[in-house]
Amino acid sequence: MAMNVVALAGGVGGAKLAHGLALVLTPEELTIVVNTGDDFQHLGLYISPDLDTVCYTLAGLANTSTGWGRAGETWQALETLGELGGPTWFRLGDRDLGLHLERTRRLKQGQRLSQITRHFCKVWGVQCQVLPMSDDSVPTWVYTVNEGELTFQEYFVHRQCHPHVTGFRFEGVERSHPAPGVLAALQRADLVVICPSNPWVSIGPILAVPGIRQALGGNPAPVVAVSPIIGGQAVKGPAAKMYAELGIQPSAFSVANHYGSLLTGFVFDVLDAVQENPITELGIRPLITDTLMKSTQDRRRLAREVLIFGDELRGA
């Protein structure tokens, strides 16, 4: 089934399905647009956590036990940093550190993040197109009850998602632009897949970049989202906690309702089959399947099911 597919992704769940799609589609058929709202500067280095997680996963370099960072990592630089009294809350492995050093060097030379990402993917043998959502800085801020406004990595890594969330802000997003190639990919897409990423802080920043949501609305291609919540719990990360703290029952239905009219179809787990009718009543076509990706085989299977579903929606 030849089709142009654009996947919106961030985090570990998004990287897994993006990998599954890359295993099923040809490189020319797939473009992955990645959240950069959690990018930040640390120790003088520019770090792109979601972009790196997606690229490492596609390249077969990811640490499969953690879902983030590189396999076979060592930590001597971090240990030295700690001995000298430096901040070690954001764990940078030695191999990962080399990536951040080179990215920062290239950015200071005036290269764009999208150019640098393309070069890294070429070196790693990643053949499909991977694009940051924007070359502009759009840092995510988290509003909390008792601690005010926190940068995303301060909330997510340093504070381990403990603060009670009340909302989010994407700084400067109204002045940002989609990275080169993003709008063109969306305009020619036959299917858009919203991966099982956190709707608030992984997909939200992508959709907030001016022009991206409009491009989705202007293309008749179906938009299919995969729920990151199974049985009321997030597979990984704070999505369910965020929904609950914002006064919304965490569920597959809540994710479908979150995206609303943007969606043509919604893929969710068999554990949540009871939510089929409420989701259908939103005007969204449901697909119930096993969405938990424990293995590469699971990623490939789910990707195929999503693509078949999308093809059905195209012909509906």
Side-chain angles (χ1 to χ4, degrees):
M1 90 192 58
M3 65 169 79
N4 291 317
V5 177
V6 175
L8 309 185
V12 176
K16 287 181 177 180
L17 184 57
H19 182 220
L21 291 167
L23 292 172
V24 173
L25 296 166
T26 66
E28 295 74 25
E29 293 176 314
L30 179 62
T31 298
I32 303 166
V33 179
V34 184
N35 168 50
T36 56
D38 60 352
D39 289 16
F40 76 125
Q41 292 193 42
H42 183 61
L43 301 174
L45 301 175
Y46 189 96
I47 300 173
S48 296
D50 275 3
L51 199 54
D52 295 343
T53 294
V54 170
C55 291
Y56 283 160
T57 302
L58 292 170
L61 299 173
N63 183 330
T64 56
S65 62
T66 62
W68 55 268
R70 289 190 61 159
E73 190 61 276
T74 55
W75 306 94
Q76 295 182 48
L78 191 73
E79 290 168 4
T80 300
L81 180 66
E83 290 170 359
L84 297 173
T88 59
W89 60 268
F90 194 86
R91 292 183 60 76
L92 294 174
D94 299 328
R95 294 186 176 194
D96 202 32
L97 191 60
L99 165 65
H100 305 314
L101 286 165
E102 179 61 5
R103 177 191 287 123
T104 303
R105 184 186 72 83
R106 288 172 177 264
L107 285 169
K108 288 181 176 179
Q109 285 184 339
Q111 294 185 38
R112 298 192 300 265
L113 182 61
S114 54
Q115 292 176 288
I116 298 165
T117 301
R118 183 166 58 249
H119 171 73
F120 289 173
C121 285
K122 182 178 179 180
V123 171
W124 292 330
V126 176
Q127 295 182 305
C128 64
Q129 184 170 229
V130 181
L131 300 172
M133 68 185 197
S134 178
D135 283 330
D136 302 311
S137 176
V138 186
T140 296
W141 290 79
V142 182
Y143 294 116
T144 68
V145 171
N146 297 317
E147 300 182 46
E149 198 177 24
L150 301 174
T151 62
F152 180 72
Q153 296 301 336
E154 174 70 21
Y155 162 81
F156 184 64
V157 180
H158 200 186
R159 300 304 314 282
Q160 299 181 351
C161 305
H162 290 313
H164 185 111
V165 168
T166 61
F168 311 95
R169 176 171 70 90
F170 311 127
E171 183 181 350
V173 70
E174 68 281 356
R175 299 184 299 274
S176 69
H177 301 84
V182 170
L183 293 185
L186 290 171
Q187 288 162 359
R188 69 172 180 268
D190 299 310
L191 172 66
V192 176
V193 178
I194 300 178
C195 292
S197 306
N198 187 311
W200 299 104
V201 295
S202 289
I203 302 301
I206 300 175
L207 296 177
V209 175
I212 290 184
R213 186 180 283 269
Q214 293 87 335
L216 289 172
N219 183 341
V223 179
V224 174
V226 180
S227 178
I229 293 180
I230 300 176
Q233 300 293 322
V235 176
K236 194 174 182 67
K241 178 178 181 289
M242 288 175 173
Y243 271 104
E245 291 173 355
L246 292 167
I248 304 169
Q249 178 68 33
S251 66
F253 170 81
S254 294
V255 176
N257 192 50
H258 180 104
Y259 292 125
S261 60
L262 187 66
L263 298 186
T264 314
F266 187 64
V267 182
F268 56 104
D269 198 81
V270 291
L271 290 179
D272 300 311
V274 68
Q275 298 175 47
E276 179 178 10
N277 287 340
I279 289 170
T280 302
E281 289 171 2
L282 293 173
I284 300 169
R285 175 103 168 258
L287 173 64
I288 303 169
T289 187
D290 179 5
T291 61
L292 189 62
M293 293 175 283
K294 294 182 178 179
S295 65
T296 300
Q297 182 178 353
D298 288 338
R299 300 176 191 183
R300 188 191 299 268
R301 173 194 52 77
L302 182 59
R304 286 191 182 279
E305 292 181 1
V306 169
L307 293 174
I308 292 170
F309 183 44
D311 203 40
E312 292 172 356
L313 293 173
R314 287 170 65 199

